[in-house]
Amino acid sequence: STMALAQEVLRSMLLHKLKLTVLALLFLGAVATGAGYLTHSRAMKDDSKTPPGDPQARPAVKPEVPAPGRMVVIGRVLDPAGKPMAGVPVDVIGRPRKPWVGTRETAEDRVLLGRGTTDSDGRYRVDASRSSSVGFFEVYALAAAPGFGIGSVQLNADAQQPAAEIRLLPEQIIHGKLVDIHGQPAAGVELRIWSVGRPTSIGTFDGVNMGNPPPPGGLRVWPRPIVTDDQGRFTLAGIGRKVTVGFHVHDRRFASSGFRVQTDDRDGPKTVTEALQPAKVVEGRALAADTGRPIAGTIVGGVRADDQGRFATNPTPSVVIGQRLNYQIEAFPPEGTPYLPTVAEFEWTKAVVKMVMDIKLPRGVLIRGKVIEQGTGRPLMGASVQYIPPRRPDNLICGWQAVVASKDDGSFQIVVQPGKGYLFVYGPTPDYILESIGEWTIYRGQPGGERYYAHDIIAYDVKAGDPPQEITAALRPGKTVKGRVIGPEGQTVETAEIISMLHFNYFHLNWRGDLTVHARDGSFELHGLDPEKATRASFLDANHEWGTTVELSGKQADEDVTIQLQPCGQARARFVGPGGKPLANIGPQLELLGTPGRPRWDQRPESKSQFAADAVWMSNLDRRHYWHGPRTDAEGRITLPDLIPGAWYRITDPSTMNVENKGVQVRKDFTVKPGETLDLGEILIEKPQP
């Protein structure tokens, strides 16, 4: 129906825009969201208590006080039957929060934080580099042993002594064969294992994504790259049953691609055959558009051009439509040159085995700057800087895809398109106070639209031929509030999502309410709070259907804050069309609002200069309750569960989205009290479709 289609369109518009090369891999394989861990692994509830069922129970151990910059990770490794395993290596890895820089030839997405080995009781103690939620997207402990599938568990990155029990999986060996398009063995092909886990029924991935590059040096438990023999055969051991493994083909003879293999629950190996497409080689030169001279060192399709600007790359399709392969090759000039990152888009014709093209990079204006902390003048390393122009040609790359990172002295260089625009600067951590600017201010020079956020927003106005400009970005440090999270009866809350306007990543200028941080093991931290303003924060434990909404400010940084969750509320409604006709089997357009405002797709003339509300679809925020529903019954009735007390909710009618001077309409704004069942009455859908 149109209603369902509109919901999918609206939902997809909120999804995180990944890097093009990553998009190709996601199309071919699974996506790691950092949402959890393998099904048979679990986090221990208490750092200091012996896990239940321990055959050799020990007294509670007081958490160690690690050395500065260090942490101690403790726990046990168990086999699939729950038996402790001795002599098992345990590695702790993290994914740092650092900018993706297009000029980098290889990504460094994971780092090894520490290594350990289990004792005779299956216990391990890993002395590791200190992690934190502000420095890492996620941190994992991984374990592997011969004859078993790898196990992993996500750690509390802020704990002084994270504790994790890791259960290995029953193993299923994968026997595979790679062939070319003629069915001949593909010998000597290197395969990299970039993900192991289980896609869930709610659109997430329970497992670890290591990325395309080889794992970090010193990591022992992740499968190493494997190479096919002269018959194109390969064997991969150490993989659990009923998991999905993502492979990446790393061979210049074949197309840059990936494939995935799903193991099952049968005895015996999993046998697969994969046909590889021949390489799609693109050769050419990177040239300056104004002079025609080669730009040495340009990164084109992940390959560095030589001193004559020549390159040869084997790109991954950006879009696959039927039998048509669309490609995009990105070109990033070396730092310090006044040329703009550029993308070449083209369609690959079946009969072609090699394409020759030159990529011409337009000249821009170089901006040099420094990112410092306001008040102290301290230089900030690892801040991200991007630019947004009011208009840009289709072949230019800007925004997060052309981000640059500040160096250890806080300095950066970025090339911008001549004319007016804005620099958006994000600190290396979320410890700084956010600023905002209206979308239409950027693109139309007038108020209204969605709000864009960054830790510093700097306007510029440059002309073609201008000498390098000098800019300083001063980020205002915010405060950190820490405390406890307890349940309605004072229980320790193992995990809860914290939804607030503090959580941003440089790759998305708008608020995404599903970019949450977690309270874990009964504690929470919120960074970047303004001491002069209150910030709303909603806490949600969807497993227990507990939640609350509070206001916090930086003034509470020195307080011992306790957040007590309450039973969530719910709301009932009846969806009807014109004339009161009940609408059966439809899903509501339910959003949680971060700020008040009009709907994003409101087209009424009187509202165009108003700010749109920052909002998140509940299907993205609370997937447990909303990813697959709920839907109305035959009489149009519906109950909306797991609503956070005090949070702002909105139901809209998207059926008039394309109606001139109307657009999406608000049908109901509401909040609920703890444990309340709120009657919303009738909700009109103006143009329902069968």
Side-chain angles (χ1 to χ4, degrees):
S1 71
T2 302
M3 185 84 170
L5 177 60
Q7 184 173 9
E8 290 304 314
V9 170
L10 295 176
R11 179 186 298 169
S12 67
M13 293 180 75
L14 293 176
L15 294 179
H16 161 31
K17 297 178 181 178
L18 296 171
K19 197 76 182 105
L20 293 175
T21 52
V22 178
L23 264 178
L25 287 176
L26 297 188
F27 176 81
L28 294 161
V31 53
T33 65
Y37 41 83
L38 296 187
T39 301
H40 292 285
S41 301
R42 68 180 182 88
M44 293 164 63
K45 298 180 182 179
D46 192 316
D47 290 6
S48 62
K49 294 181 180 178
T50 302
D54 187 345
Q56 300 182 26
R58 299 178 178 179
V61 178
K62 185 178 180 180
E64 300 179 42
V65 178
R70 309 296 295 176
M71 66 180 178
V72 177
V73 183
I74 63 170
R76 292 191 312 170
V77 176
L78 308 176
D79 70 9
K83 180 181 177 181
M85 297 192 63
V88 175
V90 177
D91 292 339
V92 177
I93 65 169
R95 183 165 69 101
R97 293 181 184 271
K98 61 180 182 180
W100 188 96
V101 178
T103 53
R104 203 169 62 207
E105 290 174 270
T106 58
E108 300 169 352
D109 292 330
R110 305 294 184 273
V111 294
L112 179 65
L113 300 176
R115 308 195 312 175
T117 304
T118 60
D119 64 15
S120 59
D121 295 331
R123 301 178 185 278
Y124 64 85
R125 177 190 179 280
V126 179
D127 179 38
S129 299
R130 187 75 169 92
S131 66
S132 69
S133 58
V134 298
F136 291 84
F137 287 106
E138 61 261 344
V139 177
Y140 292 95
L142 295 84
F148 296 94
I150 188 173
S152 66
V153 60
Q154 188 172 357
L155 302 175
N156 181 352
D158 293 315
Q160 198 174 59
Q161 183 173 288
E165 184 178 276
I166 308 171
R167 183 166 293 193
L168 303 183
L169 301 180
E171 182 185 44
Q172 185 173 62
I173 294 174
I174 298 174
H175 291 314
K177 184 174 183 178
L178 302 184
V179 298
D180 62 19
I181 57 174
H182 304 293
Q184 297 302 305
V189 175
E190 180 181 309
L191 292 175
R192 295 176 178 176
I193 291 78
W194 58 275
S195 66
V196 178
R198 291 185 172 118
T200 71
S201 62
I202 56 174
T204 59
F205 184 73
D206 238 0
V208 178
N209 178 5
M210 197 63 68
N212 176 23
L219 184 66
R220 301 163 298 169
V221 303
W222 192 257
R224 311 304 298 177
I226 52 180
V227 178
T228 58
D229 65 14
D230 58 359
Q231 296 300 310
R233 297 171 301 197
F234 68 89
T235 297
L236 179 62
I239 299 300
R241 296 185 182 186
K242 299 179 72 174
V243 303
T244 298
V245 184
F247 294 84
H248 185 265
V249 177
H250 192 71
D251 192 299
R252 296 184 67 84
R253 296 169 297 169
F254 298 99
S256 178
S257 61
F259 63 91
R260 57 183 177 177
V261 174
Q262 186 171 346
T263 59
D264 51 45
D265 202 22
R266 298 180 297 108
D267 291 333
K270 177 76 173 184
T271 303
V272 297
T273 299
E274 288 289 332
L276 305 182
Q277 295 296 315
K280 305 290 194 289
V281 178
V282 179
E283 294 181 355
R285 296 178 301 162
L287 305 174
D290 56 344
T291 66
R293 294 176 180 174
I295 305 177
T298 299
I299 304 296
V300 184
V303 176
R304 187 177 294 275
D306 65 15
D307 57 1
Q308 298 300 311
R310 293 175 300 212
F311 66 86
T313 185
N314 180 13
T316 302
S318 59
V319 181
V320 180
I321 305 176
Q323 298 298 312
R324 195 175 78 205
L325 298 179
N326 287 351
Y327 286 81
Q328 294 181 332
I329 296 181
E330 298 168 330
F332 293 91
E335 185 181 48
T337 57
Y339 293 96
L340 291 159
T342 304
V343 60
E345 301 186 22
F346 55 93
E347 181 181 341
W348 197 276
T349 305
K350 271 190 173 182
V352 174
V353 295
K354 183 172 72 172
M355 186 175 292
V356 178
M357 65 167 59
D358 290 340
I359 296 182
K360 297 181 179 180
L361 286 72
R363 190 179 186 94
V365 177
L366 184 64
I367 292 179
R368 295 177 180 145
K370 192 168 186 177
V371 184
I372 63 171
E373 184 177 88
Q374 190 179 98
T376 67
R378 180 171 66 92
L380 297 177
M381 178 183 70
S384 62
V385 184
Q386 59 183 284
Y387 85 97
I388 303 292
R391 299 176 185 83
R392 64 163 178 159
D394 290 338
N395 67 324
L396 288 187
I397 302 172
C398 65
W400 71 270
Q401 291 179 306
V403 73
V404 300
S406 61
K407 298 180 179 179
D408 54 3
D409 62 352
S411 65
F412 68 88
Q413 297 186 63
I414 188 169
V415 181
V416 303
Q417 184 181 346
K420 295 182 178 181
Y422 290 86
L423 296 184
F424 289 81
V425 184
Y426 289 84
T429 67
D431 289 301
Y432 300 92
I433 297 172
L434 288 160
E435 298 180 357
S436 67
I437 188 173
E439 176 187 14
W440 296 147
T441 300
I442 298 171
Y443 299 114
R444 302 178 182 179
Q446 62 189 47
E450 295 187 62
R451 296 174 179 89
Y452 287 0
Y453 294 88
H455 292 132
D456 199 8
I457 302 170
I458 303 172
Y460 65 83
D461 187 357
V462 295
K463 298 180 177 59
D466 278 354
Q469 307 293 298
E470 301 289 338
I471 284 178
T472 297
L475 311 191
R476 290 191 298 149
K479 298 293 185 179
T480 299
V481 173
K482 301 180 181 181
R484 297 188 304 139
V485 184
I486 60 175
E489 306 299 328
Q491 311 96 318
T492 295
V493 173
E494 293 180 33
T495 181
E497 292 188 82
I498 308 175
I499 308 107
S500 79
M501 295 299 299
L502 298 172
H503 309 141
F504 284 85
N505 285 317
Y506 68 88
F507 50 76
H508 201 91
L509 297 175
N510 302 112
W511 185 66
R512 281 191 48 171
D514 59 329
L515 291 177
T516 59
V517 297
H518 286 80
R520 297 189 188 278
D521 304 324
S523 64
F524 78 94
E525 293 186 12
L526 278 174
H527 296 255
L529 284 153
D530 191 331
E532 305 302 324
K533 297 179 182 178
T535 297
R536 287 172 61 86
S538 292
F539 290 70
L540 174 63
D541 178 350
N543 293 328
H544 294 94
E545 298 190 354
W546 297 339
T548 194
T549 300
V550 298
E551 293 203 347
L552 299 169
S553 82
K555 293 179 181 178
Q556 297 168 273
D558 297 324
E559 299 178 14
D560 183 13
V561 178
T562 297
I563 306 295
Q564 184 166 28
L565 308 188
Q566 298 295 332
C568 285
Q570 58 183 6
R572 292 175 181 163
R574 184 169 182 263
F575 281 75
V576 299
K581 180 181 178 181
L583 300 178
N585 196 32
I586 65 168
Q589 301 292 313
L590 178 64
E591 298 174 292
L592 182 147
L593 306 185
T595 59
R598 63 174 177 81
R600 281 164 287 186
W601 296 281
D602 182 349
Q603 296 184 25
R604 295 173 301 160
E606 64 270 22
S607 66
K608 287 185 177 179
S609 62
Q610 301 171 7
F611 283 115
D614 294 295
V616 58
W617 297 112
M618 289 301 293
S619 53
N620 285 331
L621 176 62
D622 183 359
R623 296 185 175 213
R624 180 183 180 91
H625 293 89
Y626 288 93
W627 188 254
H628 296 295
R631 305 187 75 83
T632 57
D633 64 14
E635 298 300 319
R637 296 187 179 90
I638 194 170
T639 298
L640 306 175
D642 203 35
L643 301 177
I644 305 169
W648 295 325
Y649 290 100
R650 168 172 289 173
I651 295 176
T652 57
D653 176 5
S655 68
T656 54
M657 180 188 294
N658 297 318
V659 176
E660 188 176 0
N661 296 330
K662 187 169 283 188
V664 171
Q665 301 175 79
V666 175
R667 289 297 181 230
K668 191 74 69 172
D669 283 346
F670 64 96
T671 62
V672 297
K673 298 175 183 177
E676 176 188 21
T677 298
L678 181 65
D679 187 353
L680 300 177
E682 291 189 345
I683 306 293
L684 172 67
I685 302 300
E686 189 170 323
K687 292 181 174 295
Q689 297 294 322

